[in-house]
Amino acid sequence: MKVGILTSGGDCAGLNAVMRAIALNLYENEKNVEIVGFRDGYAGLIRGEAVPMQRADFEGLLLVGGTVLGTTRTPFKLMSVPEENGATRLAKMVASYKKLGLDCLFTLGGAGTHRTAALLCAEGCNVIGLPKTIDNDIYGTDVTFGFHTAVDVAADALVRVRTTSESHRRTMLVEVMGNKAGWLTLYAGIAGGADVILLPEIPFSIDKVCEAVSRGYAAGKRCCIIAVGEGAVLDSEAPFKRRERVFVRADRGETTVTRHLAEVIGERTGAETRATVLGYIQRGGEPSAYDRVLCTRLGSFAAQLCRRGRFGVTVAVSGNRITFNALTDIAGKYKFVDPNGEIVRAAEETGVSFGR
Ligand code: F6P
């Protein structure tokens, strides 16, 4: 059996742990296993550069952050556009797959990666996708690997800024990653004890946020911790397209709403405000114990599917079961926070403001 592996899109903790689980399952259960890795995601497959890998290359990877194969973002929309020599990137990938004589390609990535994986399947390649992203926004799976590690990191940051904010009686805005979906901000916000949580899915009113800040101080709190999703939007911005919002924000020299909000809260409530952007810290470092278990289960299951000849799917979690979805059913679809769902309500009913 000859298989290829690639990691595509933004990295996260757990990519190496998943590759390890796929490889070890295959080595343990099949006689002649040949594994090649593609460097820098689909870019490596397009170039047709396959790196031969051995069992020893995978064995120490359970705790290693990032991806040993490297990754890039390779936009889905460019896959079918002919390049200078007339061949599309898709055609080049299919040619590499066939030339190498692969029985299966494992693609570890997010929603964009799965869209390209579905294209490869349509061209006759055997592909199995694995759901990676700190954003947890892949349709058809309860959870993605990398998400809970990022939640731990962001929640820890929220807890840490509380002590310094209390010392100084400050209102602290902490920007959490997640451009389209607010899962990471929601979970980290709840786990980190945030007083206000602002998500892309729930456009917020500045008045309501200021009310929540003032209410907290009036009730004797010494600080206010606000978890701001990277993609959070003001209610006044909500009717506009993303591109128009970017334009307006660029006038203020910003890409997100965090610093503007910090300024306005300061002006309106008199609170001393500070903003912290967590950024790539959330994607780095070793996977949490939870993610190490999840990665092992997902990777091992993906290898089982390959051994059974079940392709054109992406591995998923449903309830506490590892299962799979057809790539054609989930490619291009996202999973968003339900503004009126149980998790948001649980937080709201315990006093957290979502600025609405
Ligand atoms: O998709 C994961 C993610 O971390 C988002 O939360 C964030 O908006 C984006 O990637 C950042 O992407 P890049 O690595 O391209 O800067």
Side-chain angles (χ1 to χ4, degrees), residues 214-281:
S214 301
R215 208 171 38 241
Y217 285 115
K221 288 188 181 174
R222 283 193 56 86
C223 74
C224 180
I225 306 298
I226 307 182
V228 188
E230 185 187 6
V233 284
L234 284 159
D235 49 9
S236 57
E237 295 175 311
F240 299 104
K241 291 211 170 76
R242 194 164 165 265
R243 200 177 308 155
E244 292 162 337
R245 277 203 300 270
V246 167
F247 197 66
V248 173
R249 288 176 181 179
D251 262 3
R252 297 197 297 256
E254 299 163 338
T255 52
T256 67
V257 79
T258 312
R259 289 190 196 278
H260 173 63
L261 182 59
E263 253 175 56
V264 178
I265 292 172
E267 282 160 18
R268 293 214 196 153
T269 69
E272 191 181 358
T273 59
R274 291 286 188 275
T276 302
V277 178
L278 297 184
Y280 297 89
I281 290 167

Side-chain angles (χ1 to χ4, degrees), residues 13 134 146-155 176 184 188 282-283 288 291:
I134 65 164
F147 171 63
H148 276 287
T149 303
V151 169
D152 290 350
V153 172
V176 178
L184 180 53
Q282 297 159 100
R283 295 215 317 231
S288 64
D291 264 329

Side-chain angles (χ1 to χ4, degrees), residues 73 133-135 177-179 230 280 283:
R73 294 191 187 277
T133 167
I134 65 164
D135 294 346
M177 271 187 168
N179 216 347
E230 185 187 6
Y280 297 89
R283 295 215 317 231

Side-chain angles (χ1 to χ4, degrees), residues 146-168:
F147 171 63
H148 276 287
T149 303
V151 169
D152 290 350
V153 172
D156 181 58
L158 287 162
V159 170
R160 281 174 182 274
V161 297
R162 181 169 287 278
T163 59
T164 166
S165 304
E166 277 178 350
S167 305
H168 290 268

Side-chain angles (χ1 to χ4, degrees), residues 186 199 201-202 336-346 348-349 354 356:
L186 178 62
L199 309 176
E201 292 90 341
I202 307 178
F336 294 107
V337 173
D338 176 356
N340 297 310
E342 177 269 321
I343 308 176
V344 170
R345 281 209 333 269
E348 217 163 29
E349 288 175 10
F354 286 82
R356 62 179 176 179

